[in-house]
Amino acid sequence: GESVVTERVREMLELFDLARREHDLVESFSHGMKQRLVMCAAFLHRPTAVVVDENVGPSVDRSSATS
């Protein structure tokens, strides 16, 4: 069967919507995919806390928002 590590990696790839790119080279990933891959690695070992120093969500241009 699969090792615990392989199973956990696949679980994280699924969670961050990267499973279909499991065997692709990282160089072929978009910037957003690379950010998701970093988050995937950050959560791989089940940390109790993760400190993020950049906005990792979708950016919103508040200056163009209309009232």
Side-chain angles (χ1 to χ4, degrees):
E2 287 187 342
S3 74
V4 173
V5 173
T6 301
E7 188 176 311
R8 180 66 177 162
V9 167
R10 289 209 173 114
E11 180 184 336
M12 289 293 94
L13 291 173
E14 284 286 339
L15 180 66
F16 288 96
D17 196 28
L18 293 170
R20 63 187 163 78
R21 303 290 303 267
E22 179 180 1
H23 300 289
D24 295 352
L25 296 175
V26 175
E27 292 88 22
S28 70
F29 285 17
S30 68
H31 179 73
M33 291 172 74
K34 288 177 183 176
Q35 285 183 319
R36 291 199 321 268
L37 185 60
V38 168
M39 295 300 291
C40 180
F43 285 97
L44 189 60
H45 298 286
R46 304 180 198 274
T48 56
V50 175
V51 177
V52 180
D53 68 350
E54 291 185 28
N55 179 7
V56 293
S59 63
V60 175
D61 183 1
R62 298 194 189 283
S63 64
S64 65
T66 58
S67 308

